[in-house]
């Protein structure tokens, strides 16, 4: 971290609220419960990209790396602890180049393909439909299949649905049985294309909505398996895309996706995951928080066209996108993950909690070794694995799954952060500012009646004491954990796997209906209050 003092002055164009020394006031409204937080907000995304599948989730039965029927054992066990509700596969951009029939049957007979989107790597199709759906069963999570509209056919997609979900005496069910799987799998979530405006076919919203209607016609529900049909939705600020799909597809879809990355741009360098200055640190938090405004605007369009709220907004790709780690294969999107990424995870999840009425699912990109991953495995195949700071946020936040949202107000200082990540980029000086509160909170009532409460202090140097007025909660005990580190650029690697890891937290005290918490700078605290 460089230039701390001078840069803070530069980014803090406007500062609101009390001085750093005062206790911050907050109010938890446990007496005003909101909606249930959809557990699918804790979804994951696994693409045939770099080492997400091969070397990440899957090493094959004959690997010297310990595995369970080919699935990497250490990775599998770490993921199990996250209680993953849903996993998206096989892409991403890869999905629109993927022909599912190449990934079934005897492995020695499966054809290879060139992964055109991601570094031209040769894909041997050894991980296919069976391998993915069986993994979902082992993880006890819902599969979310992304179908190929870009280069596939209607027949191919319809047959895939039949292959996976038909229990009848149908041609595709017979083929599945021949390949060793008697019973149909349960597949609920089905995406009809991905990024149809880009790698999924470079279409207009009008053309894509017509294609959606056509493909959708032939995706027949098999027996009791009911598909939740997801349209390939907008990128970031493309509200017109949502508008057209809502008009032309309407309630033929149950969900519409949204992709939003904390990324400085699509051309040139995106910045290092672990070497950044103060401006770049706050930039990431401001950019990540802007997702709330983006969600509100897409929601407003959906509310108008779907006032009964029957169509979900699914943020099925989100997270940080930095430069690839030096020395790794170009196009494999292998990036490190610092405490800064943990803040992006916590703040984004807090936003999804607040919009759980419409945001029915979110899938961080991606689960292993790609972009803002939960887990990194050694790229040399030595068998090492490390849990990222983002993993720890997902693990600490598991009590939020299916809990009932509780409003919490917090009187936070707000800094205005520059929209420009690279000051030297053309026009950057006029780029404007985004608000970034230093303190954020989220709360929910879990099934056992206790309250899960997360508090995040992204300030680089100001410890804060927060007095939380507990309305409607007669609390007797508090316990929790904290995720913090000396520097926001700290990360875990194979030699130092526990630099950023949760620890027990003792600085929370209850006195009548006030909970006082000392929240150090650069920390995320998750408490259980009951
Ligand atoms: O997650 C990486 C890529 O980002 C996905 O393949 C694509 O859908 C998006 O552009």
């Amino acid at each position: 971290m460089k230039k701390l003092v001078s840069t803070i002055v530069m980014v803090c164009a406007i500062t609101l609220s009390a001085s750093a020394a005062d206790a911050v006031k907050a109010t938890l409204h446990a007496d005003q419960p909101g909606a249930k937080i959809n557990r699918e907000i804790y979804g994951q995304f696994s693409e045939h990209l770099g080492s997400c599948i091969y070397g990440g989730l899957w090493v094959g039965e004959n690997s010297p790396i310990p595995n369970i029927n080919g699935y990497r054992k250490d990775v599998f066990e770490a993921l199990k602890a996250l209680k993953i509700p849903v996993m998206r596969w096989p892409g991403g951009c890869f999905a629109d180049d993927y022909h599912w029939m190449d990934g079934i049957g005897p492995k020695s007979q499966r054809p290879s393909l060139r992964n055109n989107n991601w570094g031209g790597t040769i894909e041997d199709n050894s991980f296919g439909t069976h391998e993915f759906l069986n993994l979902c069963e082992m993880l006890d999570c819902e599969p979310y299949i992304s179908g190929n509209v870009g280069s596939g056919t209607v027949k191919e997609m319809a047959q895939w649905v039949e292959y996976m979900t038909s229990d009848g005496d149908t041609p595709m069910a017979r083929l599945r049985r021949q390949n060793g799987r008697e019973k149909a799998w349960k597949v609920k979530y089905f995406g009809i294309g991905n990024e149809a405006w880009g790698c999924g076919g470079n279409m207009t919203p009008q053309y894509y909505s017509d294609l959606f209607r056509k493909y959708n016609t032939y995706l027949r529900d098999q027996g009791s398996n009911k598909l939740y049909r997801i349209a390939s939705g907008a990128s970031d600020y493309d509200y017109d895309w949502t508008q057209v799909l809502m008009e032309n597809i309407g309630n033929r879809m149950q969900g519409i996706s949204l992709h939003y990355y904390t990324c400085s741009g699509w051309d040139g360098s995106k910045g290092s995951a672990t070497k950044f200055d103060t401006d770049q640190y706050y930039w990431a938090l401001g950019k990540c928080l802007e997702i709330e405004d983006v969600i509100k605007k897409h929601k407003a369009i959906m509310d108008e066209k779907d006032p009964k709220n029957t169509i979900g907004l699914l943020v099925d790709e989100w997270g940080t996108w930095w430069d690839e780690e030096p020395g790794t294969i170009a196009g494999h999107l292998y990036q490190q993950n610092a405490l800064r990424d943990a803040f992006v995870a916590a703040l984004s999840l807090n936003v999804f909690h607040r919009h759980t009425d419409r945001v029915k699912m979110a899938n961080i990109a991606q689960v292993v070794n790609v972009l803002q991953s939960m887990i990194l495995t050694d790229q040399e195949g030595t068998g090492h694995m490390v849990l990222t700071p983002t993993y720890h946020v997902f693990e600490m936040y598991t009590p939020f799954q299916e809990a009932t949202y509780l409003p919490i107000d917090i009187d936070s200082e707000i800094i205005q952060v520059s929209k420009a990540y690279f000051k030297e980029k053309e026009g950057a000086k006029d780029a404007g500012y985004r608000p970034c509160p230093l303190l954020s909170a989220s709360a929910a009532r879990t099934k056992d009646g206790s309250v899960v409460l997360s508090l995040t202090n992204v300030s680089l140097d100001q410890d804060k004491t927060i007095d939380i007025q507990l309305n409607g909660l007669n609390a007797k005990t508090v316990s929790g954990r904290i995720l913090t580190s000396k520097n926001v650029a700290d990360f875990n690697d194979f030699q130092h796997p526990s630099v950023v890891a949760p620890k027990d937290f003792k600085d929370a005290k209850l006195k009548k209906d006030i909970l006082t918490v000392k929240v150090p700078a650069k920390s995320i605290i998750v408490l259980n209050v009951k």
Side-chain angles (χ1 to χ4, degrees):
M1 298 294 299
K2 305 181 277 179
K3 303 182 295 178
L4 184 62
V5 175
S6 60
T7 315
I8 281 281
V9 174
M10 204 283 294
V11 294
C12 297
I14 303 169
T15 302
L16 305 174
S17 188
S19 81
D22 298 335
V24 172
K25 301 279 175 238
T27 308
L28 171 73
H29 302 281
D31 49 354
Q32 293 171 31
K36 188 168 56 82
I37 295 172
N38 304 299
R39 63 190 292 260
E40 284 80 1
I41 280 171
Y42 288 82
Q44 297 287 338
F45 172 32
S46 56
E47 179 165 8
H48 288 242
L49 194 181
S51 49
C52 180
I53 303 291
Y54 302 106
L57 295 171
W58 177 258
V59 286
E61 295 89 336
N62 302 323
S63 171
I65 296 176
N67 65 83
I68 311 165
N69 303 330
Y71 305 103
R72 225 187 127 125
K73 191 167 181 285
D74 51 0
V75 171
F76 171 78
E77 281 164 0
L79 293 180
K80 192 89 182 158
L82 293 185
K83 304 187 173 149
I84 297 173
V86 56
M87 178 114 76
R88 182 169 180 248
W89 175 84
C93 296
F94 180 78
D96 283 285
D97 260 325
Y98 183 62
H99 300 282
W100 70 272
M101 282 203 182
D102 295 345
I104 57 170
K107 294 201 170 163
S108 59
Q109 289 166 31
R110 297 186 191 179
S112 298
L113 80 148
R114 183 177 189 273
N115 192 331
N116 291 315
N117 288 289
W118 306 119
T121 306
I122 299 303
E123 154 76 50
D124 70 2
N125 272 309
S126 55
F127 188 95
T129 302
H130 289 245
E131 290 73 20
F132 175 68
L133 293 176
N134 291 344
L135 173 62
C136 289
E137 284 187 340
M138 289 162 64
L139 287 170
D140 197 17
C141 75
E142 299 274 0
Y144 168 4
I145 302 288
S146 215
N148 179 349
V149 171
S151 70
T153 64
V154 176
K155 180 177 176 191
E156 183 183 7
M157 193 185 283
Q159 285 182 323
W160 200 6
V161 170
E162 184 189 322
Y163 185 89
M164 294 184 288
T165 62
S166 166
D167 252 336
D169 186 22
T170 68
M172 288 299 115
R174 284 202 293 273
L175 181 59
R176 184 193 69 234
R177 289 186 195 109
Q178 267 172 37
N179 288 330
R181 171 78 186 197
E182 179 58 35
K183 235 170 79 36
W185 289 280
K186 183 176 165 281
V187 176
K188 178 174 175 188
Y189 298 109
F190 197 93
I192 301 180
N194 167 72
E195 296 197 347
W197 39 263
C199 64
N202 281 302
M203 303 175 206
T204 63
Q206 289 80 6
Y207 180 67
Y208 169 70
S209 357
D210 283 347
L211 276 189
F212 179 101
R213 293 164 67 127
K214 176 167 152 179
Y215 276 71
N216 185 45
T217 306
Y218 301 95
L219 296 188
R220 293 187 168 113
D221 285 337
Q222 308 283 329
S224 60
N225 191 82
K226 275 218 151 324
L227 293 182
Y228 180 104
R229 294 139 200 269
I230 300 159
S232 163
S235 165
D236 312 275
Y237 315 94
D238 187 354
Y239 305 107
D240 181 55
W241 188 275
T242 301
Q243 177 85 27
V244 174
L245 266 55
M246 288 301 293
E247 275 162 16
N248 293 357
I249 300 177
N251 59 15
R252 288 176 183 85
M253 62 186 168
Q254 282 77 55
I256 180 170
S257 68
L258 169 67
H259 290 182
Y260 185 93
Y261 283 100
T262 296
C263 177
S264 65
W266 302 108
D267 302 325
S269 173
K270 296 174 174 56
S272 160
T274 53
K275 293 184 186 71
F276 46 88
D277 64 23
T278 301
D279 281 358
Q280 290 167 333
Y281 167 67
Y282 282 115
W283 170 89
L285 305 181
K287 172 75 178 168
C288 120
L289 283 166
E290 193 168 66
I291 197 174
E292 183 149 26
D293 186 54
V294 171
I295 286 174
K296 280 184 187 161
K297 289 183 173 141
H298 286 286
K299 255 174 86 169
I301 297 165
M302 297 177 74
D303 288 347
E304 200 196 318
K305 303 279 166 214
D306 174 38
K308 293 201 174 131
N309 194 0
T310 59
I311 302 171
L313 181 62
L314 317 184
V315 190
D316 66 11
E317 287 187 28
W318 68 274
T320 56
W321 192 320
W322 309 120
D323 287 343
E324 296 169 316
E325 279 304 293
T328 59
I329 299 172
H332 281 200
L333 311 187
Y334 183 86
Q335 70 186 38
Q336 249 300 352
N337 196 299
L339 182 59
R340 174 177 66 168
D341 296 82
F343 290 135
V344 170
L347 299 180
S348 304
L349 291 167
N350 292 352
V351 170
F352 301 149
H353 293 171
R354 283 198 282 280
H355 296 278
T356 191
D357 58 329
R358 187 66 91 166
V359 177
K360 300 292 179 198
M361 187 194 292
N363 308 71
I364 190 168
Q366 300 193 7
V367 65
V368 192
N369 290 335
V370 172
L371 299 176
Q372 191 179 351
S373 59
M374 305 294 114
I375 295 174
L376 292 171
T377 65
D378 184 286
Q379 296 302 281
E380 274 73 56
T382 57
H384 289 104
M385 175 198 94
V386 79
L387 305 177
T388 66
T390 300
Y391 175 96
H392 293 305
V393 172
F394 270 70
E395 189 276 319
M396 289 165 76
Y397 267 53
T398 50
F400 279 104
Q401 296 189 20
E402 296 291 288
T404 302
Y405 177 77
L406 299 175
I408 180 164
D409 305 323
I410 187 160
D411 181 22
S412 173
E413 191 175 326
I414 297 171
I415 59 170
Q416 297 292 329
V417 301
S418 172
K419 283 189 178 175
Y421 187 83
F422 296 101
K423 284 198 266 331
E424 66 276 14
K425 269 193 185 168
E426 209 185 325
K429 67 179 167 27
D430 301 321
Y433 292 88
R434 296 184 174 106
C436 172
L438 294 182
L439 295 173
S440 307
S442 193
R445 174 118 32 202
T446 63
K447 274 202 199 105
D448 71 5
S450 60
V451 167
V452 52
L453 170 64
S454 89
L455 296 164
T456 300
N457 181 0
V458 299
S459 167
L460 290 170
D461 51 2
Q462 295 179 41
D463 300 342
K464 297 281 184 186
T465 298
I466 311 181
D467 284 339
I468 308 168
Q469 167 76 43
L470 304 175
N471 285 352
L473 182 67
N474 185 13
K476 302 271 184 299
T477 64
V478 56
S479 59
R481 285 184 297 161
I482 182 168
L483 189 69
T484 187
S485 197
K486 210 161 154 222
N487 298 302
V488 284
D490 285 351
F491 57 91
N492 299 330
D493 63 18
F494 306 111
Q495 289 72 42
H496 316 93
S498 307
V499 175
V500 189
K503 296 191 175 56
D504 284 347
F505 179 73
K506 302 282 179 214
D507 263 339
K509 304 270 175 292
L510 274 165
K511 200 168 174 196
K512 294 193 176 150
D513 56 354
I514 303 284
L515 173 63
T516 301
V517 191
K518 286 189 184 154
V519 188
K522 302 172 271 159
S523 68
I524 301 165
I525 294 166
V526 178
L527 300 173
N528 179 279
V529 190
K530 58 183 171 198

